[in-house]
Amino acid sequence: MELLLLFISQVLVNNFVLARFLGICPFLGVSKRTEVAFSMGLATTFVMTLSAIATWLVQNFILIPFGMQRFLQYVAFILIIASLVQFVEMFLKKTSPTLYQSLGIFLPLITTNCAILGLALLAALNEYSLIQSTIFGFGAGVGFTLAITAMAGIREHIEFSDIPAAFKGVPITLVTAAIMAMAFLGFSGLIPM
Amino acid sequence: MKKLTFKGGTHPPHSKKATEKLALEKANAPKIVVIPMQQHIGAPCDPIVAVGDEVKVGQKIGEAKGFVSVPVHSSVSGKVTAIEPRLYSGGTKVTCVVIESDMQDTIHESVTSKGSLEALSADDIKNIIKEAGIVGMGGAAFPTHVKLAPPPEKNVDTVILNGAECEPYLTADHRLMLENPEDVVYGLQAFMKALNVSKGYIGIEDNKMDAIEAMEKAAQGKEGIEVVALHAKYPQGAEKQLIYACTKREVPSGGLPADARVVVNNVGTAAAVAKAIKTGMPLVERIVTITGEGISNPKNLFVKIGTSFREVIEQCGGFKGNPQKIIAGGPMMGIAQFNIDIPVIKGTSGILTLSENELQLSDPLACIKCGRCIEVCPIGLLPTKLESFSSRNMLMEAENYHVLDCIECGSCSFICPAKRRLVESIRLGKAQVMAEKRKAKA
Amino acid sequence: MEHGNLVVSSSPHIRSKESVNSIMYNVIIALLPATVAAIYFFRLRAFLLIAVSIIAAIAAEAIILKIRKKPIAINDGSAIITGLLLALTISPAMPLWMAVVGSVVSIGIGKQVYGGLGSNPFNPALVGRAFLIITFPVQMTTWINPIDGLATATPLGLQKMEGIGTGYLELLLGNVGGSLGETSALLLLIGGLYLIYKGIIRWYIPVSYLGTVAAMSLILGSDPIFQLLSGGLMLGAFFMATDMVTSPVTKKGQLIFGIGAGLITIIVRLYGGYPEGVLFSILLMNIFTPIIDKYAMPKIYGEVKSK
Amino acid sequence: MGATYEFYKGLWKENPVFRMVMGMCPTLAVTNAAINGVAMGLATAFVLVCSNIVVALIKTLIPSKVRIPAYVIIIATFVTIADLILAAYFPDIQKVLGLFIPLIVVNCVILARAEAFASKSNVRLSILDALGMGIGFTWALTLLGIIREILGMGSIFGISLFGEGYISWIIFILPPGAFLTLGLLIAFFNAFSKNKAEDSCCH
């Protein structure tokens, strides 16, 4: 039950994009087409879950025992994430060319998605257990997917609208994000954090 | 009685009151007829008469070229005065044979009875129909003999006669069914024999109960023929919708009625076939409903092919008030005319003169996504999306959203509260997609 | 009988009588009973709030259209509806200037930045109302009792915070605390049924929405009738969730929309931080409307058998 | 283009926030108060300058295949330094900025400058570029912070402006207000400039 709440909290209440401002770059940049956005979300969710596990292992078996988390955490985490993404890319290429076709192009982008590093750092900060970290990573990924897909849907929908010139592009996307964030605030208080 | 129908559709005001009770009359004999060499879908005819030739009623004056084509006959007796391109209701110019009538209506010697239906073979019937120049009288004017020759592997088992007359204003078929139901049934029997099928439906909308009764009476004792009442809803008379209503079968996307094992013909076509077999008279005359708020005396008239709209309108007392639009055909799918010096042709089911009040002209507003167009689309398309794609030349998206399945019935434009010109854009998109496809093939 | 100026345009040549204007004005008519009740219950305060909201909405629309150099089409009635709906969702104790802020946000952020009528993905009134409740939470949730004018809580708030129930009859008639337009469930229901009767809206969204709320409250052990009659549910289900521009276009899509909104409403009401979830639920479903529209397509004639 | 241009372009013409729309996460997350905007901007500028210098210095030594990971390590190192400095001297601010200090590592502004500029230019120009971008980033965040703080709390750099009676517009210090303020600001700048803001973050 506690894990379920953690999951729901990451998807709805503390949505990474709309409440925590993590992963804004792809949220704004890769949300022009629904299908593409959804694939991006899937790829991100996948990497998020994996890196939540990987960084937990490194944090608890290497950094903490050797007392290095204060100085090497950032470097270590970003290296883990970068190599993980690289590994996933190679793995996909070998095992599932079709999946690689649809997700592959996003993988390099994911390394610099601050949602991944943010997730690893948050999990470490909250001293989550391995299973909690995994759920946390997965939930955050699902929340990200939800937000980016919905955003892409709206952007496709307003593509032909007569939007005032000054608002075309980035501003209207931000205004839409603002309204989405307002709506998601409705879930606040749903889960006592 | 069960009322059959289809999914979607809309209820435009019937507007048939003005003419539905008016018996058929013969139009005044025209002094000059202008007979286009193309009045049907398919290849145009070659004129086989020359300027100065004397012709008689029922004489062939244009020879069909190719299978999907039918000959054209003279509707009067008299002298050919010109063979030249003239404007017709399609909006363009086509080669026309102009004949000055001698007002004698001498009948050509080829016009003789073809004998009884029992004595004729299926091929005889098809041949008679082709030689009589018979085309779909509902408006599309597709050569009827082509419909009667489906590939044998389609296993056609049903003929449907379309007496729905779902287009508002028009009452030509209604009057025909009331006044001459026997010929309609006779024609249906001819179709059934030509196709070797045992099931025939006559579908009539339930706003014409008197026609249903008359047809039922005429069909009594005729084996395999069933008169069915259809829910009065537009476009009940569209081929695919009619097939669904009668048989619950669907014509596959991109397919023909024969793919649903059905052939559909108009009741008017059936009557024309009956006439061609019984008397030998080819299609030289048709029933036209002349109505609308812009005409003095609305009428249902037998009009000789080639008579000008102007003459017909004059016979109906001329214009009343200030009509805004003249339409050849019905208000939902007919074609607006900019000139009334054009001939009545085989497919002219009505001449409408609409007033400003009837037209409700207004400028299109932004789409408010009310979904009305989707609700009424008898095919289940998303007209608002198709319009948006078509008007932006996004042909691939339009095709993916099945633009080619649109039957252009006009229900979406009719219902749209923002008065957007949906069909107009979709029709354009459809044409472009088809052009692209042809290009890709070539 | 020469005839020069014939109109030549593409078929069809006749149009239905229904227009955008007639739709909008019918919605306004349907809102009238609740509006009159609001003024009856909360007197001058209600009248002023409603008037100010509507005037501000129209003014904002006109000014923005003027700046955008577009035809000032304020007679389509949509700005009036936005202003009126917004007014009906705010507390009678609200300062007038906040209502103006709400109207301006509704029209500006909720509608005109997207290009005006028909283009906005979110219900403008709801955007304004969400903005207000997030911006001024205290003023937006200070309620007064229609009978004595004293401070009170809404039936939902009473139920949630203090476990005090409110009688069905009071909820139906509307002499309870709450926003201007959410007091009398009965009058809203009458207005909604009028819209369905007139064919302006379809039943799909209201029925699936209300049905989901009722079913879910039954499952989760709450009084379904109380849940149906209280808060902004009737107003939301009949007048906001059914906003054509921001709800799905197909029957299937509308049913999904209603069920989704119902689920969110009941979850927020029973478990969330806010006592009322109608506003957020509809706004959230607005977010997903384009995606619902993309996948909830009608069955196409002849599609099954095609290769 | 002269050396001064490399400095000036970051201030407006290629302003990372308002024109290039980069580094959105910290831009939105920490600007609920003016002081946070300043601090975040300066911390980013510090990392930007330092990493640009190092990248420009050692660019010839790094094989191009592993250059991105190498840049990331360089950046991460300076971020750690910045974090420790902040923690030592400005612990309050370090706490408020929290997660977003380590996240400077993946701020696309920095990686983009390293990749697009420092790896191709000399140290002098790289410093000018980084300074320009850093200051551009800082003023953008500060402006956002000021607007949101005034509206959301009625104060500026913590100094109350309107006294007790002011009713705060709370939305502006919450997430929706961040998106809204930035969106409206970029639209405002768009309206007064020839070229539109382009999202250049994810390419």
Side-chain angles (χ1 to χ4, degrees), chain B residues 179-341:
Chain B
E179 298 184 27
N180 193 3
E182 294 79 20
D183 269 7
V184 175
V185 172
Y186 189 93
L188 175 57
Q189 286 176 308
F191 290 138
M192 286 162 69
K193 181 150 194 202
L195 285 159
N196 189 27
V197 304
S198 52
K199 187 74 209 166
Y201 289 103
I202 304 171
I204 305 167
E205 279 191 350
D206 61 4
N207 58 354
K208 295 181 264 292
M209 289 313 288
D210 48 351
I212 295 176
E213 269 167 47
M215 288 309 309
E216 269 181 337
K217 218 165 132 202
Q220 206 133 51
K222 305 284 192 309
E223 208 181 321
I225 296 182
E226 191 185 333
V227 177
V228 289
L230 308 168
H231 187 53
K233 182 168 74 169
Y234 183 85
Q236 186 67 72
E239 208 165 51
K240 291 176 172 180
Q241 280 56 46
L242 186 64
I243 291 172
Y244 183 83
C246 291
T247 65
K248 294 286 167 290
R249 296 180 196 162
E250 289 186 16
V251 179
S253 171
L256 292 170
D259 293 308
R261 312 195 301 287
V262 178
V263 166
V264 179
N265 278 301
N266 185 268
V267 286
T269 318
V273 167
K275 199 172 181 188
I277 296 172
K278 285 179 176 171
T279 69
M281 181 58 81
L283 181 52
V284 293
E285 188 178 56
R286 69 155 297 142
I287 306 172
V288 181
T289 302
I290 304 98
T291 186
E293 282 180 10
I295 197 88
S296 299
N297 308 311
K299 281 183 188 339
N300 293 304
L301 293 177
F302 280 110
V303 182
K304 284 181 182 295
I305 305 296
T307 312
S308 81
F309 276 35
R310 181 183 294 280
E311 250 177 276
V312 177
I313 290 168
E314 268 166 14
Q315 196 187 338
C316 295
F319 292 130
K320 187 173 77 185
N322 192 22
Q324 297 288 301
K325 233 183 203 185
I326 310 289
I327 297 152
M332 297 297 286
M333 292 184 78
I335 301 169
Q337 304 297 324
F338 47 87
N339 192 324
I340 55 172
D341 290 311

Side-chain angles (χ1 to χ4, degrees), chain B residues 378-389:
Chain B
I379 304 294
L381 303 174
L382 307 177
T384 162
K385 269 241 152 76
L386 290 177
E387 181 212 20
S388 160
F389 291 142

Side-chain angles (χ1 to χ4, degrees), chain B residues 140-156:
Chain B
F142 188 78
T144 301
H145 68 276
V146 181
K147 280 190 183 181
L148 296 179
E153 73 272 11
K154 302 286 188 196
N155 291 319
V156 169

Side-chain angles (χ1 to χ4, degrees), chain D residues 3-180:
Chain D
T4 45
Y5 173 78
E6 302 302 350
F7 174 71
Y8 280 121
K9 66 176 191 286
L11 301 187
W12 175 245
K13 202 162 170 278
E14 292 181 26
N15 184 284
V17 175
F18 294 133
R19 301 283 91 193
M20 315 290 283
V21 196
M22 296 169 98
M24 283 294 108
C25 299
T27 303
L28 293 163
V30 304
T31 51
N32 50 5
I35 187 71
N36 298 346
V38 176
M40 188 71 211
L42 291 179
T44 310
F46 165 78
V47 177
L48 190 53
V49 173
C50 294
S51 52
N52 249 18
I53 292 172
V54 176
V55 168
L57 277 175
I58 63 168
K59 59 179 182 274
T60 47
L61 303 177
I62 314 172
S64 76
K65 257 197 161 163
V66 296
R67 68 183 195 286
I68 299 287
Y71 298 160
V72 170
I73 295 175
I74 294 167
I75 296 166
T77 312
F78 285 113
V79 170
T80 310
I81 295 171
D83 190 25
L84 294 175
I85 294 174
L86 276 174
Y89 297 101
F90 307 98
D92 293 345
I93 286 183
Q94 197 257 1
K95 234 187 209 122
V96 173
L97 299 184
L99 192 61
F100 287 91
I101 295 176
L103 289 182
I104 296 174
V105 176
V106 283
N107 186 327
C108 30
V109 179
I110 299 176
L111 202 62
R113 293 334 290 173
E115 167 77 358
F117 198 89
S119 67
K120 297 181 186 108
S121 311
N122 62 34
V123 178
R124 196 177 74 95
L125 288 180
S126 297
I127 294 176
L128 285 173
D129 175 70
L131 273 178
M133 287 292 161
I135 295 171
F137 192 69
T138 308
W139 84 255
L141 262 61
T142 310
L143 177 64
L144 267 173
I146 289 174
I147 294 174
R148 290 181 61 193
E149 188 180 337
I150 292 177
L151 289 169
M153 291 186 283
S155 62
I156 183 165
F157 290 102
I159 303 156
S160 176
L161 289 178
F162 309 109
E164 285 297 300
Y166 181 73
I167 299 169
S168 316
W169 294 37
I170 296 167
I171 195 167
F172 284 98
I173 53 173
L174 293 173
F179 286 113
L180 192 61

